[in-house]
Amino acid sequence: RGQQDENADRADRFWKRGIKMKYFGMPLGMWAVFAKSFEKQLSVLGYDAVAAKAIVKKAKPKYQEILRDLPEFERGDRFQMNLVNCAMLCAFILSMPERPTVERLTDYYAKAMMTDLMKWFCRQSGKNKFSASDIHDMKETAAFKAADRNPYSWNMEYYEYPDGSGYEARFSRCGICTLTKKLGLYDLTPALCHLDYNMSEAGGAADFVREYTLASGGPYCDCGYKKKKA
C-alpha cells in the first residue's frame, strides 16, 4: 500500500480514540512552573498586582478549557510542550481586559518564559547542540511527521548547511498556528515565534537565523542554527 494510504489509516485510528489532552501531567507541571512568572510579568503590559491576580484567576480555568478541546499527543511527538506553552499564553490573553499588540506581547511572553529555570534548561540543551545525538533526534523528528495525524502538532524537514556551519529545521505545519487560529488570536502568533531567538541566545551554542514564518505569511517557518565561532 502507498504511504499516503498508510498515513490516512493512522490518522483515522488516532482520531477515533477520542482522547483529549488532560490537565494533569505536563500541562499541570507547566502551570506550576510558569504561572507565577506569567502573573509577575503582566506589569510589562501595564497591569498592577490586583489586576494581575484577577487575570490569573480567569486564565487558569480558560487554560483547562483550551486543553480539554485538544487531542492527546502521540508518544514520540516532541512538540507537546510547545503547544502547552501556547495554550497557557492564549489563556492569559483571553483573560486580559485589553488585547495587547504584537510588540508588547512579544516582550511580555519572552520575559514570562525566560525564567532562571528556563535559561538553565536552554544552557543544558546548548551543551548537546550539533552533537551526533542532537542530529539523530532532528532527523527522527523530521521523519515522524506528526501533523499528518494531529493538526495541533508540527511537520518538519531537516537540512544541514553545506559548509558545516550548522543546520536548519524547516516547518511546513505548525500546531501553534492551528490553535491561535481556532482561538481568534492568529494575528498575535509572531509574538510566540520570536521566543526562538531568546531560547537560542540562552543556549549559548548557536546563532539563530530566520527568513520566514508561516504566521507572517511565509511559505514555511525556518529555524536556522549556526555554530557560534570560538
Side-chain angles (χ1 to χ4, degrees):
R1 299 178 60 191
Q3 185 63 45
Q4 288 186 339
D5 290 339
E6 183 178 340
N7 286 342
D9 286 347
R10 291 182 67 187
D12 186 57
R13 291 195 300 271
F14 182 72
W15 286 105
K16 280 183 178 178
R17 291 187 305 167
I19 301 173
K20 301 298 183 182
M21 185 183 290
K22 300 177 178 66
Y23 175 64
F24 299 101
M26 182 194 292
L28 177 59
M30 295 300 290
W31 182 270
V33 170
F34 288 105
K36 284 295 183 183
S37 180
F38 272 62
E39 178 181 349
K40 177 183 177 181
Q41 296 302 333
L42 284 168
S43 61
V44 172
L45 300 177
Y47 296 108
D48 62 20
V50 174
K53 287 189 179 299
I55 291 171
V56 174
K57 187 176 181 179
K58 292 181 179 179
K60 188 172 183 178
K62 175 60 69 174
Y63 176 57
Q64 295 171 329
E65 177 187 330
I66 293 171
L67 293 172
R68 279 196 298 269
D69 288 338
L70 300 178
E72 193 68 67
F73 274 51
E74 292 177 282
R75 185 173 298 175
D77 190 334
R78 299 176 61 189
F79 294 109
Q80 181 179 358
M81 185 180 294
N82 299 53
L83 195 70
V84 170
N85 287 343
C86 176
M88 189 167 174
L89 178 62
C90 289
F92 271 78
I93 297 170
L94 294 170
S95 301
M96 295 175 188
E98 295 183 11
R99 185 189 184 98
T101 63
V102 172
E103 292 74 21
R104 297 187 72 192
L105 185 64
T106 299
D107 187 29
Y108 167 72
Y109 187 54
K111 289 178 177 177
M113 285 297 298
M114 298 308 294
T115 61
D116 289 341
L117 179 61
M118 180 60 123
K119 290 175 182 177
W120 175 87
F121 174 80
C122 291
R123 287 194 298 271
Q124 299 309 304
S125 298
K127 293 177 182 179
N128 190 50
K129 201 71 173 174
F130 308 116
S131 67
S133 61
D134 175 47
I135 292 173
H136 173 269
D137 288 346
M138 295 298 292
K139 291 180 177 179
E140 194 173 66
T141 300
F144 197 67
K145 297 192 182 302
D148 285 352
R149 301 169 298 282
N150 178 2
Y152 293 95
S153 191
W154 281 254
N155 275 1
M156 183 195 91
E157 299 294 335
Y158 170 78
Y159 299 96
E160 292 186 14
Y161 294 132
D163 61 1
S165 62
Y167 61 72
E168 176 184 307
R170 184 177 295 180
F171 296 89
S172 58
R173 301 273 296 278
C174 169
I176 285 175
C177 290
T178 303
L179 182 57
T180 55
K181 282 179 181 178
K182 176 184 177 183
L183 298 175
L185 301 174
Y186 186 59
D187 59 305
L188 298 177
T189 306
L192 289 91
C193 302
H194 194 271
L195 192 69
D196 292 326
Y197 290 92
N198 304 104
M199 293 182 67
S200 182
E201 181 180 357
D207 292 318
F208 186 80
V209 294
R210 167 173 284 159
E211 186 174 3
Y212 302 111
T213 64
L214 292 168
S216 299
Y220 48 76
C221 294
D222 52 326
C223 296
Y225 299 91
K226 288 186 172 288
K227 299 175 183 176
K228 283 186 176 291
K229 296 180 180 179

